[in-house]
Amino acid sequence: MIKETFTIEQLSEGFFELFEDGTIQKMDPKRLKNPMEDPNLGKYSSALGIDPLLISTGEQNIIIDPGLGWGLDHTSKFEDTSNVITNLKIFGLRPEDIDHVILSHLHFDHVAGSTFVNDRFETRPTFPNAVYYVHSDEWDYALTQIDQQPELIGADYRLDELYKLVAEKRLHFVEDDEYIVTPGVEMIKTGGHTPGHSIVRIEDSQAVSYFMGDLIPTEFHLNRPSHPQTVLDSAQVQQTKKLILRKAYQEKATMYFYHSLYKKTGQLSLDEKRRYILKDG
Ligand SMILES: [Zn+2]
């Protein structure tokens, strides 16, 4: 049993528009008020949130999926944008304070904030004292995708900067399908979205929470399947989703979504038609 109560925060980078070729633009959240009247949204692009997770156990600080990393590079043109470092500051934390960085999978919109380029044009880890974790199946698959047309719309692998983490032995390849990063924080391999995709189960003295990664990217996907062009193995996603949601419901767990536009977190519950809904936790 874990004795501590953890604090869990979403480090929101805002709203973005993702195009089919994988480019991303910041999006005016006002467009979300009338998405039906916006001819581009949903047709040529999709709207998404980017919400890395910060867990503080009292002794350790953990980040899950460090976001887009806009504004981290020395030469970045995105100066006024929030990113994982500016958002950590809000909670009084510096990059040096992060002990573990968990990568649900290696699509760039989840991991680009792992590193930055400094004023000497060197790639450096954003969190200099952290161990980074990814499932080995994800790394192996990502390596097969170099110079390939991405298999999924708008979701590609950009590994150049990650090689530096590997060379410095900062990226730990997880072999087990269930792996405890630190007591109370466990990676669970789900596959489906990508071969090595993992979610994270968090359990402290009070409650259970889940970070769903792209297995369930938004609250909208709780009861609906993901678009087939956004997952590699739909059957695997459906099967795993069902099992995990059933377990999470029994555990009265709080769910955290990385790409939600409206409701980003809440306690899992069922409505009168036995569909999953989120209650305020
Ligand atoms: Zn993805």
Side-chain angles (χ1 to χ4, degrees), residues 100-103 106 130-137 139 162 165-166 168-176 179-181 187:
H100 307 281
V101 178
I102 300 173
L103 307 175
L106 297 175
V131 181
Y132 292 67
Y133 302 82
V134 71
H135 198 280
S136 61
D137 290 353
W139 180 255
L162 294 180
L165 294 181
V166 177
E168 293 183 357
K169 298 196 170 11
R170 292 170 186 275
L171 187 55
H172 177 77
F173 297 112
V174 173
E175 304 282 342
D176 298 333
Y179 179 81
I180 294 173
V181 171
M187 286 173 73

Side-chain angles (χ1 to χ4, degrees), residues 105 107 109-110 152 155 193-194 197 214 230 259:
H105 65 302
H107 284 152
D109 57 320
H110 292 252
L152 303 178
H193 175 69
T194 58
H197 181 280
D214 276 354
T230 64
H259 286 310

Side-chain angles (χ1 to χ4, degrees), residues 25 47 184 215:
Q25 270 175 24
L215 182 74

Side-chain angles (χ1 to χ4, degrees), residues 41-245:
L41 272 188
K43 192 167 180 201
Y44 302 111
S45 67
S46 39
L48 43 88
I50 299 277
D51 292 85
L53 204 67
L54 166 68
I55 307 162
S56 298
T57 68
E59 284 171 9
Q60 313 236 299
N61 298 307
I62 302 116
I63 291 217
I64 310 177
D65 286 1
L68 290 171
W70 283 13
L72 296 180
D73 287 353
H74 173 62
T75 55
S76 174
K77 50 190 189 311
F78 305 109
E79 278 174 4
D80 305 328
T81 178
S82 69
N83 57 48
V84 70
I85 293 187
T86 60
N87 290 335
L88 274 179
K89 259 188 217 158
I90 299 168
F91 301 101
L93 290 171
R94 302 162 306 156
E96 296 79 14
D97 299 326
I98 302 302
D99 303 288
H100 307 281
V101 178
I102 300 173
L103 307 175
S104 68
H105 65 302
L106 297 175
H107 284 152
F108 79 95
D109 57 320
H110 292 252
V111 304
S114 296
T115 58
F116 70 102
V117 177
N118 70 12
D119 53 3
R120 281 177 282 169
F121 296 95
E122 299 162 332
T123 298
R124 301 302 309 146
T126 307
F127 310 100
N129 300 322
V131 181
Y132 292 67
Y133 302 82
V134 71
H135 198 280
S136 61
D137 290 353
E138 182 67 13
W139 180 255
D140 293 346
Y141 174 73
L143 290 179
T144 70
Q145 296 302 299
I146 299 166
D147 298 329
Q148 305 271 329
Q149 191 65 19
E151 289 192 68
L152 303 178
I153 286 181
D156 52 312
Y157 290 103
R158 300 174 192 173
L159 300 183
D160 288 5
E161 314 295 327
L162 294 180
Y163 290 135
K164 188 70 190 254
L165 294 181
V166 177
E168 293 183 357
K169 298 196 170 11
R170 292 170 186 275
L171 187 55
H172 177 77
F173 297 112
V174 173
E175 304 282 342
D176 298 333
D177 289 357
E178 294 180 2
Y179 179 81
I180 294 173
V181 171
T182 189
V185 180
E186 183 181 26
M187 286 173 73
I188 302 170
K189 186 188 139 188
T190 64
H193 175 69
T194 58
H197 181 280
S198 302
I199 60 166
V200 182
R201 182 178 181 278
I202 304 145
E203 179 171 11
D204 68 3
S205 60
Q206 306 286 323
V208 174
S209 306
Y210 284 87
F211 175 87
M212 299 310 297
D214 276 354
L215 182 74
I216 307 180
T218 77
E219 83 286 17
F220 177 84
H221 296 92
L222 277 171
N223 301 293
R224 295 180 188 85
S226 291
H227 192 285
Q229 283 172 317
T230 64
V231 293
L232 286 180
D233 184 343
S234 296
Q236 171 71 13
V237 167
Q238 277 307 96
Q239 197 185 2
T240 317
K241 228 170 104 169
K242 211 170 141 185
L243 290 173
I244 290 180
L245 284 174

